[in-house]
Every structure is written in C-alpha cells, then in structure tokens.
Amino acid sequence: MNLSTLIALIIVAALFGLASIYLYKNGTCGACPDAPNCNGHCSRDNKKAIKKSLKENAEFKEKSDMIDDIIKKHKV
C-alpha cells in the first residue's frame, strides 16, 4: 500500500462519514424535494398524498391549466 492509496482511502472514509452525518441529521429524505413533508421514509404512499393535496389546491390547478395551454399552443 503506497501513499496515494492511503490518501484515497482517507478521502473515501471522510466522504462516507460526512454522508452518514447528513443522513442522520436529515433522515432518508434529506435530499428529496418533498423533504419538509416527508416522514423520513420516502414511500410511494407519501408521494401520492402530496400529489393529491397539490391537485386539490386551486392555485396549483390554475398554474397547471396555464402550462397545459402553453404546451398545446407550441405543439401546433
């Protein structure tokens, strides 16, 4: 084992340690966009519930309709 291998192992161990600390602080959904609404387990049911609540939101419906209209105009 030479010096470059030892340095690479130290770097990999440091990155693993930092990733472990991040997951411990933020849970398993720390990097997902739904992290504030997530219970720490990114499950399919949780995502479905979030999508359903967004679809019921009037502002979301309005923006979604506007996006659909723009897409229809540009398809022609």
Side-chain angles (χ1 to χ4, degrees):
M1 184 188 300
N2 56 14
L3 184 62
S4 61
T5 306
L6 184 62
I7 292 172
L9 287 174
I10 291 171
I11 291 172
V12 169
L15 290 175
F16 181 78
L18 291 172
S20 298
I21 292 169
Y22 179 81
L23 284 174
Y24 180 75
K25 286 183 180 179
N26 297 310
T28 57
C29 291
C32 80
D34 300 326
N37 301 322
C38 188
N39 61 3
H41 300 87
C42 286
S43 65
R44 190 171 280 181
D45 295 334
N46 189 25
K47 290 179 182 180
K48 286 181 181 179
I50 292 170
K51 286 180 183 179
K52 184 178 179 182
S53 67
L54 280 176
K55 287 181 181 179
E56 293 172 356
N57 187 350
E59 183 179 336
F60 179 79
K61 283 183 181 179
E62 181 181 338
K63 288 180 182 179
S64 179
D65 291 341
M66 288 173 52
I67 291 171
D68 289 340
D69 290 341
I70 292 170
I71 290 172
K72 287 177 184 176
K73 288 179 184 177
H74 287 282
K75 279 187 177 181
V76 173

